[in-house]
Amino acid sequence: MGLKSVTSFCTAVMILWNLIQFLIYDLPYFIYRSADKLKWDMLIAYIVYSIGRISGMRLVKKFFESHFPYFKDESEDFKRWTVKQIVELGGTPFVPSRKYYRATGSWSQRVRNYVTLRSLLQVVIPPGRRYSMEKILIAVDDGHGMYTAGKRTPLFEDGTYMKENEFNRAVVDKLIVHLKRNCFDVLHVSAGDTDVPLKTRTDLANNTIPNGFGRPADAMVSVHANALGSAWNSKAKGIEIFYRSGYKAGKKLAQDIQEYLVKGTPLINRGLKTSNLHITREADMPAVLVEGAFMDNPEEALLLESDAYRSECAEEIARGLCQFFGRTYVEVPPDAAPLPAGAYPVNFVVGRSEFDGLIIDGRSWAPARDVLTAIGIKTWMFEKKSISINGTAVETKIINGIGYIKSVDLQTIEVAKVFLEPDAVNTKRVIIYPKEVTTNE
């Protein structure tokens, strides 16, 4: 028997073994896990495509790639679609690096990262704990600064105008709330009123400048409002999203966000665009720049000013991010009340505990009960809508049923040390260290 015959025999045995493994392990387990919601057309497609993929039936492979969009790119779309199905069944989103080698000649093709359900479902968690998986980090950016020259609408009839960052900031603040509710970590790379340099923003996302999370972001979204000029122009209208040319993951992120923005808002779809933008070019992860509407269109400018449209944009961007990462969007609880104007969330860290606080008019406000309990303060009380600590009354705000106190007051009455990261202007995190406290108990 010659070398070529031995090679062909070994190849046939390997293909047969892969087919047996698929039929014995992967297929039955998939049917078992999804029997209650099984779609038979997709099951048949999955079986035929998998067998064709294992055996090298190029005609089968080509047919499915041309008829099913998620089969076009095995390294991205097919893998993401498969992982999404597994996550919905309660599995962890782990994709092993598993390779099959074929012999020379007509079998020279190398198949990489062959995804099997058995290997993906190594660890299964109950559906109720589906969101306890390791968090994904999203970098968010509100384009420009509050005082950046020229970035505003033309004058309205009453002589007023809207600064672009008013829209951008409001959308990002609301987006952060949605992302945290959906168990994402969030990195705000442009907090504050100053126009943060573009390089600083992408360096924070890339963790080239330490961002407090110790790792680069998994995706980046920059929110803007569009304009063709400085005068009113009723022809300029619609939503468009930019991504880096040639970056398939970036394009997929743009597609997912655009899908929801177009469905959820009344504006037309201007499509996906590529351009040599710093945010999309220098970010090491999938990054998009969202142009929410045109500031120089009289009708769209009024939308940009409205809280309802800002809220809608934030929600639809969050839905698109959830779809991109294969997560089911967690709806807003029906009893959840909106934050007051000018307020946005910020993390408070006390030891190993984290709490949701607020930044209001440039001041950080801590959730009183959580923080005081965490730093071991027992001599505090809430009376007549005001909180007293060690007998000293401190300024108090009641928001959505939660009592908040200014973090600086904890330092003033000498019960804790407070550090604002990176600084008081661009606060992304508030760290509190308790002091030695003497009580009368």
Side-chain angles (χ1 to χ4, degrees):
M1 184 181 293
L3 179 60
K4 186 174 181 179
S5 300
V6 172
T7 301
S8 299
F9 176 76
C10 292
T11 300
V13 171
M14 183 183 67
I15 293 173
L16 181 60
W17 170 247
N18 291 338
L19 287 171
I20 292 173
Q21 179 179 256
F22 169 75
L23 294 172
I24 293 179
Y25 293 102
D26 301 325
L27 182 59
Y29 195 71
F30 173 73
I31 296 174
Y32 168 74
R33 289 291 296 171
S34 57
D36 58 333
K37 53 181 179 181
L38 192 62
K39 295 181 180 179
W40 290 104
D41 55 342
M42 288 310 304
L43 176 62
I44 294 170
Y46 172 71
I47 293 172
V48 175
Y49 181 78
S50 297
I51 293 176
R53 210 163 164 258
I54 293 171
S55 63
M57 295 162 58
R58 297 181 182 178
L59 289 176
V60 174
K61 180 173 178 291
K62 185 176 181 180
F63 172 81
F64 277 92
E65 286 180 351
S66 62
H67 287 76
F68 297 94
Y70 42 76
F71 286 147
K72 287 182 180 178
D73 186 345
E74 294 177 5
S75 64
E76 294 293 338
D77 293 342
F78 177 74
K79 182 172 69 175
R80 187 177 295 114
W81 176 81
T82 307
V83 172
K84 181 178 179 181
Q85 311 312 309
I86 300 309
V87 170
E88 289 181 354
L89 292 174
T92 55
F94 167 69
V95 179
S97 180
R98 185 176 178 183
K99 300 179 181 179
Y100 292 84
Y101 297 93
R102 290 173 178 168
T104 57
S106 61
W107 302 98
S108 60
Q109 182 181 2
R110 176 183 291 182
V111 179
R112 299 180 180 178
N113 293 335
Y114 180 67
V115 180
T116 65
L117 293 165
R118 181 169 59 89
S119 55
L120 282 173
L121 289 168
Q122 292 175 359
V123 179
V124 177
I125 56 177
R129 295 178 55 203
R130 188 169 301 153
Y131 300 101
S132 64
M133 64 183 72
E134 182 181 353
K135 288 187 177 180
I136 296 167
L137 178 59
I138 308 297
V140 296
D141 168 44
D142 50 294
H144 309 295
M146 193 63 76
Y147 307 112
T148 304
K151 299 298 182 180
R152 63 177 181 84
T153 66
L155 291 177
F156 293 107
E157 291 183 358
D158 59 1
T160 62
Y161 59 85
M162 183 203 76
K163 299 175 182 178
E164 180 183 346
N165 192 254
E166 292 180 48
F167 169 76
N168 304 343
R169 173 84 63 82
V171 172
V172 164
D173 288 346
K174 296 172 185 293
L175 174 61
I176 290 173
V177 175
H178 290 305
L179 292 176
K180 289 186 175 181
R181 189 181 67 256
N182 282 275
C183 296
F184 289 98
D185 280 332
V186 184
L187 169 65
H188 192 178
V189 299
S190 56
D193 291 337
T194 58
D195 200 343
V196 179
L198 293 177
K199 187 176 187 305
T200 300
R201 303 180 194 213
T202 52
D203 282 352
L204 284 168
N206 295 335
N207 200 37
T208 306
I209 296 176
N211 58 26
F213 290 93
R215 58 192 175 94
D218 298 292
M220 185 173 185
V221 177
S222 183
V223 178
H224 288 250
N226 216 338
L228 287 183
S230 57
W232 292 115
N233 182 348
S234 59
K235 295 182 179 180
K237 59 180 66 176
I239 296 172
E240 61 187 9
I241 300 181
F242 290 86
Y243 67 96
R244 189 169 78 219
S245 177
Y247 190 11
K248 293 180 179 179
K251 182 178 181 180
K252 181 64 169 61
L253 176 61
Q255 288 173 332
D256 287 342
I257 292 176
Q258 185 81 329
E259 174 186 338
Y260 282 97
L261 276 174
V262 172
K263 287 180 181 177
T265 66
L267 303 191
I268 67 170
N269 181 7
R270 292 175 59 90
L272 304 181
K273 307 289 179 65
T274 59
S275 184
N276 189 28
L277 302 175
H278 180 95
I279 291 293
T280 57
R281 183 185 68 244
E282 299 300 326
D284 293 338
M285 68 291 305
V288 297
L289 188 147
V290 178
E291 296 281 11
F294 277 83
M295 293 187 293
D296 50 352
N297 179 298
E299 295 180 356
E300 295 194 358
L302 294 176
L303 274 180
L304 291 169
E305 275 200 315
S306 71
D307 186 70
Y309 182 72
R310 294 171 179 182
S311 298
E312 190 68 44
C313 287
E315 179 180 334
E316 303 308 341
I317 292 172
R319 289 181 183 275
L321 282 163
C322 284
Q323 177 167 295
F324 179 78
F325 286 104
R327 290 190 173 182
T328 301
Y329 179 77
V330 178
E331 300 288 345
V332 178
D335 57 346
L339 293 176
Y344 65 89
V346 68
N347 271 2
F348 274 77
V349 180
V350 184
R352 295 185 177 180
S353 301
E354 293 190 16
F355 307 104
D356 293 328
L358 297 173
I359 298 291
I360 304 176
D361 298 328
R363 291 282 188 176
S364 58
W365 290 76
R369 181 183 298 277
D370 291 334
V371 169
L372 293 174
T373 300
I375 63 178
I377 303 298
K378 298 181 179 179
T379 53
W380 71 278
M381 62 182 299
F382 178 77
E383 186 177 15
K384 296 181 180 179
K385 297 184 179 181
S386 180
I387 291 174
S388 297
I389 304 172
N390 295 344
T392 302
V394 296
E395 186 177 354
T396 306
K397 288 183 182 291
I398 309 300
I399 300 174
N400 297 340
I402 300 174
Y404 292 87
I405 58 175
K406 286 190 290 188
S407 60
V408 68
D409 288 340
L410 297 173
Q411 191 157 292
T412 302
I413 61 179
E414 299 183 344
V415 297
K417 293 182 180 180
V418 179
F419 297 88
L420 306 178
E421 291 188 348
D423 52 55
V425 176
N426 300 307
T427 305
K428 298 180 178 66
R429 187 167 66 160
V430 181
I431 302 177
I432 296 179
Y433 295 96
K435 286 187 174 181
E436 293 290 333
V437 180
T438 303
T439 67
N440 296 326
E441 295 184 4

